[in-house]
Amino acid sequence: MKNLLKFLPAYCALFALASCSKPSETTDVTTEVEVSDTTSKYLSEPLISDHYTADPSAHVFDGKIYIYPSHDVESDVPEDDLGAHFNMMDYHVYSMDNPDAAIKDHGKVLGADDHPWAKRQLWAPDAAEKNGKYYLYFPAKDDKDIFKIGVAVGDSPIGPFTAQPEPIKGSYSIDPAVFEDSDGSYYMYFGGIWGGQLQKYRNNKFDDKGAAPTDGLPADDEPALGPIIAKMSDDMLQFVETPKEIKILDESGNPLLNGDNNRRFFEAAWIHKYMDKYYLSYSTGDTHFIAYATSDNPYGPFTYLGVVLNPVEGWTNHHSIVEVDGAWYIYYHDTQLSGKTHLRNIKVASLKHLPDGSIETIEPIKM
């Protein structure tokens, strides 16, 4: 903390400058603070320091890394357990030539005013490419304060993106992640409990089960809720099947229980494939781990194997995993710059698959 405090004036100056710039401009993000201080307690330093970013979704398109994060902002919304203070209203796109290169901000590519149905809380997005078209998927609350998932389409990884007039039919909750399988099929994984509203659904039907974050959750000795999967249509704009819940099992083949807070799913599902295995990684939420499970099938069931990323500074932990030139990386966030749980900064670190198929646990804070 001592190292961070001495840089706060520089950070504040950067944020003041950022508020005066035009968001549509393409800029190289330069770091004027000493984030490379060798005495830092952090494994990695922020990639962006002129404004706040979180929930980084990283992909390689045409040999370049593109990052689609949410854009954290300060607001007058009080903090609560449903995440109302995460009041993000637009998205930027960033690119890097490689994980060690400078990061470029391509400016605002989509905002709440760019589509008729999404009213607020534009939370963690994802992106996909198919046949030269690029698709930006995003959750947002509609005029009834219910999360749905929308899609915007562009001809470039950096947009501009044009939003579809309605959310994806049958979509709900948060944290869309679209995975392209080796056979050319695309699947969306989504869902998050508490503020993400997944606990309000059973068999894809909404039932407002109460205002408290835990209202609607299974009992602690019952199977935990899992993320949802649906195969995408050829045009990438809809589901071609009824969404299905994914089961995550323990080492004995039994479903993880709702009370198993260190291992059960909370939000932020992500899929990557390694050695013909499907790796489902996700946030455990209130215990702050990025855990993972594996399967031979994109629909699961998945068997829990361990932890990818230990807790970061800040209440949330949200990530993506991407292969770049044969090496693997995890993009994630913490609150190093602000110390506030709703004002985060994205980072990147190396990820290692071990010979037995497990993933070496990453410690984001040096011991």
Side-chain angles (χ1 to χ4, degrees), residues 201-223:
Y201 288 83
R202 294 295 187 275
N203 298 317
N204 305 308
K205 300 295 184 182
F206 180 81
D207 178 11
D208 195 346
K209 298 175 182 293
T214 56
D215 288 343
L217 285 174
D220 283 352
D221 60 354
E222 294 178 339

Side-chain angles (χ1 to χ4, degrees), residues 3-268:
N3 293 324
L4 176 60
L5 289 175
K6 72 180 181 179
F7 300 137
L8 283 178
Y11 289 138
C12 294
L14 279 172
F15 294 132
L17 288 171
S19 66
C20 299
S21 63
K22 297 178 181 179
S24 59
E25 291 179 346
T26 298
T27 58
D28 286 314
V29 176
T30 57
T31 304
E32 298 179 11
V33 295
E34 299 177 50
V35 294
S36 60
D37 182 3
T38 57
T39 63
S40 173
K41 68 178 181 180
Y42 302 98
L43 172 65
S44 302
E45 297 298 334
L47 293 174
I48 297 162
S49 58
D50 63 345
H51 57 278
Y52 297 112
T53 50
D55 314 316
S57 172
H59 295 272
V60 176
F61 297 135
D62 295 328
K64 180 177 286 192
I65 304 165
Y66 292 91
I67 308 164
Y68 303 84
S70 51
H71 178 196
D72 281 354
V73 295
E74 190 64 274
S75 74
D76 58 3
V77 178
E79 183 173 340
D80 63 25
D81 286 338
L82 294 176
H85 51 297
F86 294 102
N87 195 27
M88 301 89 94
M89 297 300 290
D90 63 28
Y91 299 110
H92 285 227
V93 175
Y94 303 85
S95 66
M96 306 174 74
D97 290 332
N98 61 69
D100 297 316
I103 191 167
K104 180 175 289 187
D105 180 2
H106 296 278
K108 175 183 170 181
V109 297
L110 193 72
D113 295 335
D114 296 325
H115 34 75
W117 68 269
K119 302 306 179 185
R120 64 190 184 95
Q121 288 179 269
L122 275 64
W123 284 9
D126 192 24
E129 182 275 335
K130 183 177 181 181
N131 297 331
K133 291 285 187 181
Y134 296 85
Y135 302 86
L136 180 63
Y137 298 93
F138 58 94
K141 282 186 174 178
D142 63 14
D143 56 6
K144 297 179 181 178
D145 262 0
I146 296 176
F147 271 113
K148 301 292 177 62
I149 297 172
V151 56
V153 186
D155 294 320
S156 164
I158 61 173
F161 292 97
T162 301
Q164 298 296 294
E166 300 289 340
I168 295 172
K169 294 176 183 178
S171 69
Y172 54 91
S173 196
I174 60 170
D175 294 351
V178 175
F179 166 71
E180 180 186 3
D181 207 347
S182 51
D183 65 356
S185 299
Y186 289 78
Y187 302 89
M188 180 182 288
Y189 296 78
F190 62 93
I193 64 174
W194 289 23
Q197 302 177 339
L198 184 62
Q199 72 278 6
K200 296 178 181 290
Y201 288 83
R202 294 295 187 275
N203 298 317
N204 305 308
K205 300 295 184 182
F206 180 81
D207 178 11
D208 195 346
K209 298 175 182 293
T214 56
D215 288 343
L217 285 174
D220 283 352
D221 60 354
E222 294 178 339
L225 298 177
I228 309 298
I229 181 176
K231 190 174 184 179
M232 301 300 297
S233 59
D234 287 341
D235 64 6
M236 301 291 283
L237 302 179
Q238 300 292 339
F239 301 150
V240 295
E241 62 183 0
T242 301
K244 302 173 178 64
E245 183 180 0
I246 290 172
K247 297 298 182 185
I248 304 174
L249 311 177
D250 65 17
E251 62 278 4
S252 299
N254 300 311
L256 294 183
L257 302 180
N258 186 61
D260 191 350
N261 287 34
N262 285 335
R263 300 194 295 176
R264 61 94 175 91
F265 171 77
F266 188 99
E267 62 185 3

Side-chain angles (χ1 to χ4, degrees), residues 41 363 365-367:
K41 68 178 181 180
E363 179 54 68
I365 300 174
K366 299 175 184 177
M367 305 302 289

Side-chain angles (χ1 to χ4, degrees), residues 317-328:
N317 205 352
H318 193 125
H319 72 300
S320 60
I321 295 171
V322 62
E323 183 179 15
V324 184
D325 295 329
W328 288 88

